[in-house]
């Protein structure tokens, strides 16, 4: 209904049908035809614009964008990026919503996913770079500290990178049940590591000097 009204108003405005009907003001004429206040005449055209924008996503995705706020969020992604990015955002949003027992993704979540998928990646630091990275300091000479020195790099490579939104999205499409199991296992392991870190900090002498 919103789309139909928007299209009809836009067509009427372009063809100046208000003049044909004997009116000099298109807004006054449209308000009379639609039986609404004059100040609301432009709203159907404004609401119809996002509907037009998301139409190219296809009939398999557009039903999940029945709310105007969701359509506006996705239309913004199309305008600022492209249709391919918007489709990826909606697909991931729908997958999450279904997993949570919801009928459709919210506009807020769609906007968050868009930011996650389009955020610029931080380039990896090249070997020999002069940029200081606390997690990648020179390997310690004491053998007791070597395993801990490598721990952060290992977690980054083996856990943080595989959890990138694009990688998780692909895994969810391939086998969501198995993915959920892996995430549960990983979450439990992270909890154990966190508990060990808390215990380890208690073993550091209070007056120990911290070298920057």
């Amino acid at each position: 209904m919103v789309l139909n009204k928007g299209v009809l108003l836009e067509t009427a405005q372009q063809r100046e049908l208000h003049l044909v009907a004997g009116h000099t003001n298109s807004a006054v004429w449209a308000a009379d035809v639609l039986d609404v206040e004059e100040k609301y005449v432009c709203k159907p055209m404004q609401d119809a614009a996002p509907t037009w924008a998301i139409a190219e996503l296809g009939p398999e995705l557009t039903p999940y964008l029945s709310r105007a706020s969701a359509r506006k969020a996705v239309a913004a992604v199309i305008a600022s990026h492209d249709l391919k990015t918007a489709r990826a955002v909606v697909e991931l949003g729908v997958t999450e919503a279904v997993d949570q027992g919801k009928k459709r993704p919210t506009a807020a979540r769609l906007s968050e996913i868009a930011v996650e998928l389009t955020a610029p990646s931080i380039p990896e630091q090249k070997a020999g770079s002069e940029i200081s990275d606390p997690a990648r300091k020179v390997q310690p000479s004491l053998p007791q500290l070597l395993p801990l020195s490598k721990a952060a790099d290992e977690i980054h490579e083996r856990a943080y990178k595989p959890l990138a939104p694009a990688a998780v999205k692909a895994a969810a499409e391939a086998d969501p049940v198995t993915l959920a199991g892996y995430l549960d296992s990983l979450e439990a392991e992270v909890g154990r590591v966190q508990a060990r870190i808390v215990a380890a900090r208690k073993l550091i002498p209070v007056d120990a000097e911290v070298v920057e």
Side-chain angles (χ1 to χ4, degrees):
M1 180 62 75
V2 171
L3 181 58
N4 289 338
K5 285 185 178 181
V7 173
L8 290 174
L9 284 172
E10 187 174 354
T11 302
Q13 193 176 66
Q14 292 172 349
R15 298 183 180 181
E16 297 185 330
L17 296 184
H18 63 286
L19 297 178
V20 178
H23 286 261
T24 57
N25 188 305
S26 61
V28 173
W29 170 75
D32 182 58
V33 172
L34 296 176
D35 192 24
V36 297
E37 292 183 42
E38 186 179 335
K39 62 182 178 180
Y40 297 125
V41 167
C42 292
K43 193 174 188 307
M45 288 190 287
Q46 295 172 347
D47 291 342
T51 304
W52 276 117
I54 68 169
E56 295 185 53
L57 291 175
E60 70 278 4
L61 294 178
T62 51
Y64 293 100
L65 304 175
S66 58
R67 293 175 179 170
S69 57
R71 292 195 295 273
K72 290 179 181 178
V74 177
V77 177
I78 296 175
S80 59
H81 295 86
D82 50 42
L83 189 63
K84 181 179 179 181
T85 302
R87 182 174 286 110
V89 169
V90 177
E91 288 176 348
L92 185 53
V94 170
T95 299
E96 286 187 0
V98 171
D99 289 344
Q100 296 170 6
K102 300 178 181 178
K103 293 182 178 180
R104 60 184 71 84
T106 64
R109 182 54 188 149
L110 289 170
S111 297
E112 290 174 355
I113 294 174
V115 172
E116 293 171 2
L117 293 183
T118 59
S121 58
I122 300 175
E124 293 186 6
Q125 184 176 330
K126 296 181 179 180
S129 172
E130 295 181 357
I131 300 176
S132 176
D133 185 346
R136 298 173 183 275
K137 293 182 179 180
V138 178
Q139 299 295 340
S141 57
L142 296 177
Q144 297 94 326
L145 298 177
L146 186 59
L148 290 174
S149 175
K150 294 181 178 180
D153 285 343
E154 291 290 332
I155 292 176
H156 182 78
E157 291 296 325
R158 298 190 180 186
Y160 185 79
K161 282 186 176 181
L163 285 172
V168 175
K169 177 178 179 295
E173 292 174 346
D175 189 343
V177 176
T178 302
L179 170 62
Y182 286 151
L183 292 177
D184 289 343
S185 178
L186 181 58
E187 187 174 26
E189 197 61 36
V190 169
R192 296 189 187 97
V193 171
Q194 184 63 37
R196 287 263 174 124
I197 291 175
V198 172
R201 289 188 181 281
K202 294 179 180 180
L203 297 177
I204 300 175
V206 177
D207 58 347
E209 181 181 359
V210 178
V211 180
E212 295 291 345

